[in-house]
Amino acid sequence: RSADGGSHWEKRSGQVSSSPQYYGKMFADPATFDRVYLMDTWMQVSDDGGRTFRKLGESEKHSDNHVLWIDRDEPSHYLNGCDGGVYESWDRGVHWRFVANLPTTQFYRVVVDNALPFYNVLGGTQDNFSLSGASRTANLSGITNADWFVTVGGDGFQSQVDPEDSDTIYAEAQYGSLVRFDKRTGERVLIQPQPGPGEPPLRYNWDSPLIVSPHSHTRLYFGANRLYRTDDRGDHWRAVSPDLTRQLDRNRLPVMGRLWSVDAVAKNSSTSFYGNIVSVSESPQREGLLYAGTDDGLVQVSEDGGDHWRKIERFSGVPERAYVSRVEASRLDPDVVFAAFDNHKAGDFAPYLLASADRGRTWRSIAGDLPHRGTVYAVTQDTERRELLFAGTEFGAFFTVDFGKRWIPLKGGLPPIAVRDIAIQKRENDLALATFGRGFYILDDFTPLRRVDDAMLARDATLFPVRRALVYNPARPLGGRGGGFQGAGFFTAPNPPFGAVFTYYLKDAVKTRRKERQEREKKLIGENEAVAYPSWSDLRAEEREEAPAIVLTVTDLEGQVVRRLLGPVTAGFHRVAWDLHYPAATPVELQPGEAGEFGDPDSGPMAAPGTYRVALAERVDGKLLPLGEPQSFETVPLGRAALPAPELAKVLEFERQTARLQRAVMGAVNAVAEAKTRLDFIDRALLETPRAGADLAVEAHALRERLADLDVALNGDTTVSSRNEPTLLSIAD
């Protein structure tokens, strides 16, 4: 401690921090002299200026503390930032409230299962366990924290799921602590491979690689410094490689320009062992064709299931010993393999991304125009189009449709954050991303990217094939939409849009005459050319013009129009969802009101499951001009009902009859209201027209009485109901 601004210092204690390479920030209490807080694995506090420390108290709170804010006006009020997120205390740390609505999870890895009707997303997090959760739900609440569960504790890393049994999950913590988790029973069995008698200890990475063989759903490969294989879900293991690393002694390697002795502060604490396998892949096209990448810059290849290995230790343009962040066999070509390298520990953030067409014998860069300071962590290939690749980098996800010549950032709400892993859900053609600080992201149905090429981009418009739509009635487990009455602290993630989702591309924006004129004039001004004043007929046409629109028309098998939807008119890719309902049975309103807290948006009957067709068109001056090719699609029942469903076609016909009746009744209700308003004008006109006869006022009064009787028949007797007495159902009811 210094009492004179740092001119002199007094040592107050011996070592007190448990993990000094991670923690050590100190905060002085703003109200209590000599009360000091030390951020550590377990938060510590001193009341004597740092001479002695004690644990502050972290009941039901995550450990690993980094920062503390203390309220100057209420010193018992804390906000704490730790590896678990943000916590709040109002009693100096005796009790803590977790802030559950901040999606800040750091996911190292992501994998998807094949569960029905909705697949699950699994992954490992920094110091917050390995988790599994729903990719979507059938609820209006969206996806909540209650839809997730822990598969294993510790720092979470790679997970895998049996592709034929989604209840069998493999998850791991740091240093290769691998378990088999039974989702049905909750049982966890440790299945980590162990060295045999007389063998040296294994060196597991902090994030040890695990894969399920694409050729057997019970076969796993797991990497330490040797590669292990099991064919019975981890009950028995055998090594299928020797030590595949350079076998360097990390204590003889320089760090920060020099070698360090054993007494260096926290030397090797909470770090990976050095010299281990960090990425493994098996070719889906060729059983036994294995690839392994190491943390010391090697790629090893076996073409016979591990009996023999071929080592690649130098890669053109890649620094020696750069960490092999990913090695992945092509999904479509038995001879192609991809490799990504991470050299950020040497202060080098370049995107090293390579491909080989001869099983690793020769390599070429496919980094193309990726950001020059964006380390590549993950790469994967589409399951159908060879040239379509995805890369996860320090600054977001990118895709290429020409095998790496040009890379395009995936946006659509994805922040420029580290994407550490990528998984493809093949059945649904979804792309799942693990981000380091914003949780998981899913791009639903990326199949339009398979059709992107220069020819497609040159067309005026393209309507893409439509994924099948699931038919069901969304549930309300919280009694409403979103978080219901749970408050702003209740976290929900949005479900994908309900119904059929239409994707289209516009080469150019659909513009009004005025917009086109203004752009022409702007160009002329930029070229120092004269701008002519528009004619009155041109201006009149601009003012009378109906704004152009993009219209999506849904028809049934008989060609009958089911629904028309409006879509964005700007250039680029767009998505519009049809909620599988016919138009609402309510009269048309130019400015529809809000549905309200307990209501739903007006909608008509739900369309019966079956085949439908959607067409894209541009509406100009009232005329529909077709764009692109129409697409057929299926709507399929989810099949979740506890009671047998009646014949859906008959139900739909009944609902459509009811809708026609409802529209007629509500039109009559509106007509009564409009007639009442007209009578109000008539009453005023009779009053202000001296020559009007008295008989006209009598007739107007009689009309008002008749309208009142019609109002009671249509809407009910408000004379009775307004006094909280029971009434009969009205026609509208």
Side-chain angles (χ1 to χ4, degrees):
R1 182 179 74 169
S2 173
D4 56 9
S7 296
H8 303 86
W9 290 87
E10 174 194 2
K11 184 178 182 181
R12 304 290 284 185
S13 72
Q15 181 176 330
V16 292
S17 176
S18 63
S19 296
Q21 82 279 34
Y22 283 147
Y23 318 111
K25 287 185 179 180
M26 303 187 75
F27 298 88
D29 193 293
T32 304
F33 182 72
D34 264 356
R35 183 175 174 89
V36 182
Y37 304 85
L38 172 65
M39 299 302 99
D40 200 359
T41 306
W42 305 104
M43 198 184 328
Q44 300 185 58
V45 61
S46 172
D47 291 305
D48 54 11
R51 290 191 185 280
T52 59
F53 283 87
R54 59 181 172 83
K55 289 183 179 178
L56 179 67
E58 301 186 68
S59 175
E60 298 180 279
K61 174 188 167 297
H62 200 288
S63 59
D64 299 321
N65 301 277
H66 295 275
V67 66
L68 184 70
W69 173 85
I70 305 164
D71 191 337
R72 289 181 175 274
D73 299 320
E74 181 56 61
S76 297
H77 180 204
Y78 301 158
L79 286 176
N80 170 254
C82 64
D83 278 11
V86 175
Y87 288 80
E88 183 179 39
S89 175
W90 288 89
D91 55 11
R92 287 183 177 264
V94 177
H95 302 93
W96 294 92
R97 180 183 72 88
F98 175 58
V99 181
N101 63 349
L102 298 176
T104 57
T105 307
Q106 296 170 304
F107 275 106
Y108 290 105
R109 297 287 182 168
V110 61
V111 70
V112 293
D113 66 13
N114 292 319
L116 291 170
F118 309 128
Y119 66 89
N120 296 296
V121 188
L122 303 92
T125 70
Q126 194 280 321
D127 209 31
N128 282 266
F129 313 151
S130 288
L131 306 166
S132 174
S135 64
R136 70 180 295 176
T137 68
N139 302 329
L140 287 174
S141 305
I143 306 167
T144 70
N145 289 340
D147 295 309
W148 290 80
F149 59 90
V150 173
T151 55
V152 72
D155 281 78
F157 292 103
Q158 302 196 32
S159 297
Q160 292 291 343
V161 188
D162 190 315
E164 298 182 15
D165 175 15
S166 295
D167 290 325
T168 299
I169 297 170
Y170 307 93
E172 64 170 292
Q174 59 265 52
Y175 294 130
S177 182
L178 180 64
V179 302
R180 184 178 63 225
F181 175 75
D182 190 329
K183 185 177 175 180
R184 290 157 291 208
T185 65
E187 180 186 33
R188 295 179 179 88
V189 178
L190 183 67
I191 58 169
Q192 182 188 42
Q194 301 296 324
E199 294 180 346
L202 296 173
R203 296 189 303 276
Y204 283 101
N205 192 268
W206 195 257
D207 179 9
S208 300
L210 172 71
I211 64 169
V212 176
S213 171
H215 305 284
S216 171
H217 69 101
T218 62
R219 182 182 305 158
L220 306 176
Y221 288 97
F222 193 43
N225 52 312
R226 305 175 71 184
L227 185 64
Y228 283 82
R229 166 178 164 171
T230 176
D231 289 286
D232 54 11
R233 298 186 172 97
D235 286 340
H236 303 87
W237 293 90
R238 62 183 177 88
V240 292
S241 82
D243 189 320
L244 294 180
T245 73
R246 297 179 190 266
Q247 303 176 50
L248 302 174
D249 182 354
R250 65 176 173 179
N251 293 312
R252 300 184 183 277
L253 297 176
V255 176
M256 294 184 289
R258 54 165 288 190
L259 296 179
W260 296 82
S261 184
V262 67
D263 296 321
V265 175
K267 179 169 173 56
N268 299 337
S269 295
S270 294
T271 62
S272 294
F273 303 127
Y274 189 64
N276 39 55
I277 301 168
V278 292
S279 184
V280 173
S281 182
E282 182 180 18
S283 169
Q285 297 290 320
R286 189 67 54 86
E287 185 173 2
L289 176 53
L290 300 171
Y291 298 93
T294 70
D295 64 344
D296 51 14
L298 300 179
V299 171
Q300 301 264 14
V301 186
S302 175
E303 302 185 40
D304 54 12
D307 290 339
H308 303 87
W309 290 87
R310 173 166 42 87
K311 179 172 67 176
I312 305 108
E313 54 186 330
R314 288 181 177 81
F315 304 86
S316 177
V318 178
E320 191 174 0
R321 299 213 319 261
Y323 188 104
V324 183
S325 55
R326 195 59 47 94
V327 58
E328 177 147 338
S330 166
R331 300 174 186 268
L332 304 173
D333 189 324
D335 296 325
V336 173
V337 60
F338 307 95
F341 298 83
D342 173 3
N343 199 41
H344 85 270
K345 292 182 181 179
D348 175 11
F349 301 93
Y352 299 110
L353 182 57
L354 309 180
S356 170
D358 53 13
R359 303 187 184 184
R361 291 176 175 85
T362 59
W363 297 82
R364 66 181 178 89
S365 174
I366 57 170
D369 55 358
L370 284 171
H372 70 280
R373 278 180 57 83
T375 303
V376 178
Y377 298 115
V379 61
T380 195
Q381 185 182 40
D382 182 30
T383 58
E384 294 186 14
R385 182 177 176 181
R386 177 184 179 275
E387 298 82 12
L388 177 55
L389 308 175
F390 300 94
T393 78
E394 178 68 19
F395 298 112
F398 293 77
F399 75 96
T400 175
V401 295
D402 54 14
F403 214 77
K405 295 177 183 176
R406 296 170 296 175
W407 289 90
I408 304 164
L410 279 172
K411 296 182 179 178
L414 179 70
I417 196 170
V419 174
R420 299 295 293 265
D421 200 12
I422 302 174
I424 291 176
Q425 216 294 334
K426 186 175 181 180
R427 183 188 70 222
E428 304 295 339
N429 292 307
D430 286 356
L431 190 74
L433 308 178
T435 75
F436 209 65
R438 292 293 182 272
F440 288 135
Y441 278 81
I442 296 177
L443 174 60
D444 300 299
D445 187 18
F446 67 83
T447 55
L449 299 182
R450 291 176 177 157
R451 296 171 178 260
V452 173
D453 55 27
D454 291 336
M456 189 230 88
L457 295 174
R459 298 189 195 106
D460 290 337
T462 301
L463 179 62
F464 295 97
V466 182
R467 184 163 70 176
R468 64 170 191 156
L470 296 175
V471 182
Y472 61 93
N473 289 299
R476 299 175 181 265
L478 298 178
R481 297 177 177 274
F485 301 145
Q486 304 301 311
F490 186 83
F491 178 76
T492 64
N495 274 319
F498 175 81
V501 179
F502 308 132
T503 306
Y504 63 93
Y505 169 80
L506 298 178
K507 178 184 177 184
D508 299 307
V510 182
K511 301 170 186 175
T512 62
R513 290 184 174 92
R514 175 174 296 173
K515 183 67 175 176
E516 289 178 343
R517 172 180 60 78
Q518 291 173 342
E519 290 184 355
R520 287 195 303 270
E521 292 175 350
K522 183 178 180 180
K523 182 179 179 181
L524 290 172
I525 292 172
E527 296 172 351
N528 292 320
E529 297 287 337
V531 175
Y533 197 85
S535 68
W536 297 122
S537 60
D538 289 341
L539 290 175
R540 194 175 295 115
E542 288 181 8
E543 293 174 354
R544 294 180 178 181
E545 181 185 23
E546 175 189 7
I550 291 296
V551 180
L552 292 140
T553 302
V554 180
T555 54
D556 60 19
L557 278 176
E558 285 73 40
Q560 300 296 317
V561 174
V562 176
R563 192 74 178 269
R564 292 188 181 94
L565 305 164
L566 296 180
V569 298
T570 53
F573 286 86
H574 300 287
R575 277 185 161 161
V576 175
W578 171 44
D579 65 1
L580 307 184
H581 286 79
Y582 282 80
T586 53
V588 173
E589 297 180 12
L590 294 180
Q591 293 182 331
E594 295 291 332
E597 183 69 31
F598 300 103
D600 286 314
D602 290 334
S603 65
M606 182 177 284
T611 302
Y612 293 87
R613 193 167 181 260
V614 61
L616 183 71
E618 176 185 354
R619 188 177 66 200
V620 178
D621 294 332
K623 299 178 181 178
L624 290 179
L625 308 176
L627 297 173
E629 295 295 327
Q631 300 289 339
S632 296
F633 63 96
E634 301 288 330
T635 66
V636 181
L638 187 59
R640 300 174 68 247
L643 300 176
E647 295 184 42
L648 295 178
K650 292 182 178 179
V651 171
L652 175 61
E653 180 55 33
F654 172 74
E655 288 179 339
R656 295 183 68 181
Q657 292 177 13
T658 308
R660 289 193 291 271
L661 175 60
Q662 181 181 359
R663 188 176 292 111
V665 170
M666 296 186 74
V669 168
N670 286 352
V672 168
E674 292 169 1
K676 285 181 177 180
T677 301
R678 292 178 64 190
L679 279 171
D680 291 338
F681 280 96
I682 288 172
D683 287 343
R684 176 59 66 89
L686 291 174
L687 182 65
E688 297 183 2
T689 306
R691 297 180 59 185
D695 58 328
L696 292 178
V698 174
E699 185 179 350
H701 177 75
L703 286 172
R704 191 177 293 281
E705 287 294 313
R706 289 178 60 189
L707 284 174
D709 291 339
L710 288 171
D711 194 14
V712 170
L714 287 168
N715 295 314
D717 192 340
T718 57
T719 301
V720 178
S721 63
S722 65
R723 290 165 174 80
N724 286 334
E725 294 293 339
T727 59
L728 295 173
L729 290 177
S730 67
I731 295 175
D733 291 333

